[in-house]
Structure formats: C-alpha cells, structure tokens
Amino acid sequence: MQEQTIGGVDLQYYIVCKRKLWLYRKGIGMEDESDRVMQGKVLHETAYPRLTDREILIDDAFKIDAIEGEYIREVKLSSKMTKADRMQMLYYLYQLSLRDVHKKGLISYTKERTTEEIELTQKDEQEVRSLIAAVHETIVLQKPPAVKKVPYCKSCAYYGFCFSMEVDEDDA
Ligand code: SF4
C-alpha cells in the first residue's frame, strides 16, 4: 500500500478529534461550509502583510504561514486548541529539520493577542513521529471513529453531520 502524505493539519485534527481527522481525510467536505474554517482561511491569507515570505508551500507537502528570520510563524483565531496548534507547529519544525533547515516557531493568537514561542526538542521529534504513525493508523480505518462529544464539537464543521439526530439540550 502506498504511504499517504500526512500534514500538520492532520496532526492537529488527530489531537482535536480522531473522527474529524477521518472525515476530513475521506474528503467529506463540510469544512468548506463552516464559518470558522472560512474565518481561518481569510486570516491565513491576510496575516503578515509586511512579510514577503508568506503562505510557503514546502515540497508540495505542507504550507506554512510565514518565515521571519529564525522563526516560522503561524496565526490562529484563538488559543482554544493550544496543544493541537503546538503539535502542528512542531510538525513543521520537524519537517524543516529533516531538510536541514532549523527554525523556531511563533504562534500568534489574534483573539488573546498573545504569541507563543515553540522550539523543537529531541523529545518533541519523537512525539511528532509517534503522532504521524497514529494519524496513519486512523486514516486507514474502514469506518470513522465513533462520535465522542468534546467541548470543541459545537465549533466543528462536522457538528451537524455527527449530531443531526440529537436534540440540542439548549433547545429542549
Ligand atoms: S462534531 Fe465532535 S465528534 Fe464530530 S467530528 Fe467534530 S469534534 Fe469530532
């Protein structure tokens, strides 16, 4: 079987919800309809106007928001998913290090107006490799992982898909 390309977004989704990862990788396209996803796209397209190295596609494998000196930069709407965002950044740093490019990361959260610095350690590299393996195991499953309600569900593009049979407690 051919190895499927795994990207930073896959790692992020795996941490948020394995089912979301599976649905996304199967091309089930609710993502396009989500306001939150649309906001994120606009944010990525308009962030860092003063930098020329923006929206950089590396080896047709993954795209980073911007490069500024020794840093690569990512911008996020809010800090609700810091672990997932951190792993996504570590994935980029790891992939760049495999290409002998050694950078640090900065994640800026627009809502909180904070910026987090991320540095790739050997322990992080091991964690990234383990996560890539776990992502791969999830996306080759024949069926999606079961619905598991998490706080993020109501912001998720697949909410209607996952919970269409459920009466909203707020509306009951
Ligand atoms: S709605 Fe919840 S269970 Fe469904 S994919 Fe999104 S996060 Fe996962």
Side-chain angles (χ1 to χ4, degrees), residues 17 19-20 23 147-148 150 152-153 156 158-159 162-163:
C17 171
R19 180 178 170 87
K20 178 180 171 83
L23 294 169
V147 173
K148 191 174 158 201
V150 293
Y152 171 74
C153 284
C156 177
Y158 297 106
Y159 182 77
C162 292
F163 294 97

Side-chain angles (χ1 to χ4, degrees), residues 44-104:
H44 282 88
E45 280 161 16
T46 54
Y48 311 117
R50 71 189 166 78
L51 297 180
T52 48
D53 283 344
R54 295 169 54 228
E55 295 266 304
I56 306 138
L57 184 64
I58 312 284
D59 292 348
D60 269 340
F62 61 96
K63 198 191 267 185
I64 53 183
D65 281 357
I67 295 180
E68 185 174 27
E70 63 177 323
Y71 291 102
I72 65 170
R73 305 197 64 138
E74 278 283 312
V75 61
K76 302 287 179 189
L77 288 168
S78 82
S79 65
K80 275 191 187 154
M81 294 183 290
T82 43
K83 171 144 198 243
D85 297 339
R86 181 181 153 76
M87 287 315 302
Q88 184 185 21
M89 175 61 84
L90 287 171
Y91 170 85
Y92 295 148
L93 297 175
Y94 171 70
Q95 287 294 338
L96 288 174
S97 77
L98 294 180
R99 293 159 174 82
D100 216 17
V101 176
H102 302 280
K103 300 270 183 202
K104 291 190 249 181

Side-chain angles (χ1 to χ4, degrees), residues 140-157:
V140 297
L141 291 173
Q142 293 298 311
K143 290 191 208 162
V147 173
K148 191 174 158 201
K149 202 163 195 171
V150 293
Y152 171 74
C153 284
K154 285 202 172 176
S155 311
C156 177

